[in-house]
Amino acid sequence: MDTNFDVIIIGLGAAGSAAAYHLARGNKRVLGIDRFRPPHVFGSSHGESRIIRQAYFESPMYVPFVQAAMGAWLELEQISGEKLFVKSKSLTLGNAASTVIQGVLYSAEQYNLKHQYLDCGQIRQIFPALKPTADTVAVLEEEAGLLLPEACIRTHLDLAARAGAVLHFDEQVMSIKANGSGVDVTTSTGRYGAGQVIVSAGAWVSELLPDLKLPLSVERRVVHWFKNTKADDLRFLPDKLPVYIWEYKPGQMFYGFPDLGNGIKIASTKKGATGNPDQLNRKVDPAEVEALAEIVRNYFNLDAIHAQASVCMYTNTPDEHFIIDRHPFHENIIVASPCSGHGFKFSSMVGQLLSQMASGVDPDIDLQPFRLDRFNS
Ligand SMILES: Cc1cc2nc3c(=O)[nH]c(=O)nc-3n(C[C@H](O)[C@H](O)[C@H](O)COP(=O)(O)OP(=O)(O)OC[C@H]3O[C@@H](n4cnc5c(N)ncnc54)[C@H](O)[C@@H]3O)c2cc1C
């Protein structure tokens, strides 16, 4: 058994790769293990792009968190020289009373975030690619855009390895056992020991920690790319079309991205089937394509053909907030599930928080809302 590590990280996707980077930079002896070779298409962090926005309609409590995460992404870009962030702005659309418009305005006001309120005429004029109905309004945010998730993960892992982290790919963790002073980890090919373990296994976190009986559900989600038939149409490029979230009917939303070269990427927030991550249906039904094609016809001035689709997983908590906490019975085990379909943007900062927890340093962000004991009742 190799016991030469301060921290073992299980799962090197969005959160785990960032934790490996911060811990290795802090001179910890780190072993990172992943059952695949990240970035890969089998978890929750693939598919070209992830939205990052600050005026968080879900809750203002995320604003300082996302601002810190944005700073961490920009710093990572600077250190690595890699392109990780595309500043395309962010547009939230809905009717004036919709959850998203009210939520974005509330967060923007609470934190004094720069934003612009647009009526339907202004939306049509500034964003000719969009076809809003007469009652649609929008909030435009400048300091927002998209992250390139595959590049983000690859960069965190490359820099972690350069700083001395040992990374094992294509090796599956089978069990995690706390001993008196540390934790033993058994994988498909070996056994390892460390003072602490971070479990950042995304959709598989519940099966690795069965004693916790986590109230998580793993949900299938599909994203689609539609290719513009007019090659000289510039209205869908990142400097013309922001990332957007659009509540087009009460409680019904779609979101999407400008064209990065493969077409505009768009997805519905309609609930998908839940189940075991290893039995995820990765085939996309023609009815799923048609549902999105109808949205494209109704809400965009775009003559497009469906180019491709990709299946991904949300890992949902009952309240859709994250889990970042210590195991209640084994304090050497740290659990991180930046999940529920909105976690990528935060993962640069989640890595830093996990590194601080494992190093005995007070975390920079208040982690109270992300504790496990909120599920006890
Ligand atoms: C369609 C879709 C759209 C999204 N859009 C956005 C968005 O616009 N903005 C945003 O902020 N967020 C978004 N999210 C959410 C975000 O992408 C996820 O919250 C985030 O990527 C999850 O990261 P993670 O590290 O928890 O999981 P992952 O990145 O999936 O990493 C988990 C890793 O654990 C490994 N693993 C699992 N089990 C084991 C084991 N037994 N042994 C070893 N390794 C193991 C896996 O191989 C995997 O690499 C979206 C998610 C989806 C699915």
Side-chain angles (χ1 to χ4, degrees), residues 97-291:
S98 59
T99 319
V100 290
I101 294 293
Q102 288 301 313
V104 163
L105 288 175
Y106 186 61
S107 274
E109 279 153 19
Q110 293 283 307
Y111 283 94
N112 211 9
L113 300 174
K114 212 171 135 198
H115 66 282
Q116 216 181 325
Y117 190 83
L118 306 175
D119 64 23
C120 172
Q122 291 168 308
I123 302 168
R124 286 181 185 152
Q125 193 191 354
I126 303 171
F127 304 109
L130 305 180
K131 231 168 35 179
T133 52
D135 65 341
T136 305
V137 298
V139 180
L140 179 65
E141 205 191 329
E142 292 278 333
E143 300 302 319
L146 62 95
L147 294 159
L148 305 170
E150 287 85 356
C152 292
I153 292 174
R154 194 177 301 113
T155 302
H156 270 140
L157 290 179
D158 284 351
L159 294 187
R162 260 191 255 165
V166 177
L167 304 178
H168 288 192
F169 299 124
D170 301 316
E171 182 171 341
Q172 184 170 353
V173 171
M174 312 307 281
S175 73
I176 304 164
K177 290 227 164 16
N179 58 42
S181 57
V183 187
D184 297 334
V185 171
T186 305
T187 73
S188 44
T189 53
R191 286 182 64 213
Y192 311 94
Q196 303 199 62
V197 161
I198 293 171
V199 186
S200 46
W204 291 267
V205 74
S206 298
E207 74 185 44
L208 279 167
L209 297 168
D211 56 327
L212 280 185
K213 297 190 172 50
L214 293 172
L216 301 177
S217 68
V218 175
E219 187 190 346
R220 178 179 175 278
R221 292 288 183 136
V222 186
V223 297
H224 300 261
W225 283 259
F226 287 86
K227 194 103 187 149
N228 196 341
T229 54
K230 295 192 189 84
D232 59 348
D233 185 352
L234 307 179
R235 295 170 305 161
F236 295 86
L237 300 184
D239 60 337
K240 299 277 185 317
L241 181 67
V243 296
Y244 56 86
I245 297 178
W246 196 326
E247 189 170 344
Y248 62 108
K249 289 180 188 165
Q252 293 184 45
M253 297 175 217
F254 62 88
Y255 65 90
F257 302 81
D259 190 344
L260 300 179
N262 295 313
I264 61 156
K265 181 179 144 188
I266 179 165
S268 158
T269 62
K270 194 173 165 206
K271 292 270 175 219
T274 55
N276 181 324
D278 289 320
Q279 286 158 15
L280 184 75
N281 173 14
R282 293 187 179 273
K283 285 205 183 117
V284 178
D285 194 83
E288 294 178 301
V289 175
E290 177 45 31

